[in-house]
Amino acid sequence: MNKLMTRRKLITTGLGVAAGASGIALAARLASQYGLIPPDNGGVFGIGETLTYAAQRMLMSHHSLAREFSRSEISRVAPVNGDPPETEVYQRVLHSGFADWRLTVDGLVARPSSFTLEQLKRLPSRTQITLHACEMGWSFIAEWTGVPLSDLLSSVGILPQARYVVLFPLDAWWESIDMSDALHPQTLLAYAMNGEQLPVPHGAPLRLRLPRQLGYKNTKYISHIKVVDTVKNIGEGVGGSNSEGKGAYSWYAGM
Ligand SMILES: Nc1nc2c(c(=O)[nH]1)N[C@H]1C(S)=C(S)[C@@H](COP(=O)(O)O)O[C@H]1N2
Ligand SMILES: [Mo]
């Protein structure tokens, strides 16, 4: 039996049975051993989050694609959630027409780098028409063009210890995703929307498009990407600003 089958069998039978019959402690231990614990698991009380994430990761093919739509299905109205950063830094890069803006990529990479918008536009690009679904209940379909995050990461070289990619914006809305989502072909660093330069309210100059997760995971106004082996030392250690504190959203928001 190959390793994947062993892991799959563990999740479909072992983890469920362990959680039901032998107790959540055993399930938690197995999930941890197989790298299936999300950063916001909250110990044994978070077994629900752990089972959701573990089941998704094991039962779904890692590269299953989000649905793509045709041009005629693009929504006429695209709502906005989250105003542009009010910081001086953002005002400055905005007034420079983003000429002063840089994307810094560091952490567990072979060649820490900094990119201008023009340099990013010269990397391989992908255009896709997908659904953006906000956790608050609205959604829209749009066309996005950008650099697949996997291409950006291979251009800087990911070190073997890498487990998460952290996205830091020019406001406080930082988030992280695991390597499975980071290397997924539809995960884009988008700089264009519906054939135009990405509009400022939608996250210019660069935003994450992660069509397999809910709206809040799609970080706008990105300026820094960090590859890490753990998110424990960032903020409250739960993997994202939206998963911190009371009324927090779950770190994994697969759809
Ligand atoms: N930096 C940053 N990213 C963000 C937000 C934000 O306020 N700041 N809002 C999030 C939420 S909740 C959603 S639904 C989407 C909204 O994207 P849109 O404004 O392009 O519709 O961006 C997400 N990314
Ligand atoms: Mo959202």
Side-chain angles (χ1 to χ4, degrees), residues 1-222:
M1 192 184 281
N2 66 31
K3 198 172 169 223
L4 179 70
M5 276 311 291
T6 311
R7 284 161 62 94
R8 188 177 292 248
K9 193 153 179 256
L10 173 91
I11 298 312
T12 51
T13 59
L15 207 56
V17 170
S22 329
I24 51 182
L26 175 60
R29 189 152 53 77
L30 288 172
S32 164
Q33 193 177 328
Y34 284 83
L36 295 168
I37 304 261
D40 63 340
N41 69 87
V44 286
F45 298 110
I47 195 69
E49 270 82 18
T50 296
L51 284 174
T52 306
Y53 174 62
Q56 278 276 355
R57 281 291 171 263
M58 289 297 95
L59 299 177
M60 312 280 290
S61 150
H62 278 208
H63 284 246
S64 67
L65 295 177
R67 179 169 170 204
E68 296 196 18
F69 298 81
S70 64
R71 282 242 158 86
S72 64
E73 293 170 286
I74 292 175
S75 306
R76 270 179 294 135
V77 179
V80 164
N81 201 8
D83 290 333
E86 281 164 12
T87 62
E88 253 175 59
V89 176
Y90 190 73
Q91 295 312 315
R92 187 161 45 73
V93 294
L94 187 58
H95 285 125
S96 76
F98 301 116
D100 286 355
W101 174 90
R102 295 289 181 278
L103 174 70
T104 311
V105 185
D106 58 16
L108 297 172
V109 298
R111 295 169 296 280
S113 307
S114 159
F115 298 84
T116 65
L117 192 53
E118 290 313 309
Q119 286 171 325
L120 289 178
K121 289 180 178 171
R122 285 199 290 272
L123 290 176
S125 79
R126 177 181 170 121
T127 295
Q128 65 198 18
I129 302 172
T130 51
L131 179 83
H132 171 100
C134 174
E135 64 293 344
M136 295 167 91
W138 48 268
S139 64
F140 64 93
I141 293 169
E143 180 188 81
W144 281 277
T145 301
V147 194
L149 180 56
S150 66
D151 285 318
L152 181 91
L153 292 175
S154 35
S155 82
V156 296
I158 317 167
L159 298 182
Q161 312 92 283
R163 282 197 62 196
Y164 302 100
V165 174
V166 191
L167 305 135
F168 293 106
L170 292 169
D171 63 8
W173 198 281
W174 70 275
E175 273 293 347
S176 65
I177 58 177
D178 67 9
M179 295 314 292
S180 171
D181 270 329
L183 302 178
H184 185 277
Q186 289 174 316
T187 301
L188 302 188
L189 293 171
Y191 47 71
M193 180 176 162
N194 294 334
E196 310 278 334
Q197 188 164 292
L198 185 66
V200 166
H202 289 291
L206 195 71
R207 70 140 349 135
L208 185 68
R209 267 303 292 152
L210 181 67
R212 295 194 316 166
Q213 291 204 44
L214 288 172
Y216 65 90
K217 297 294 291 189
N218 290 249
T219 313
K220 307 196 279 189
Y221 320 109
I222 295 172

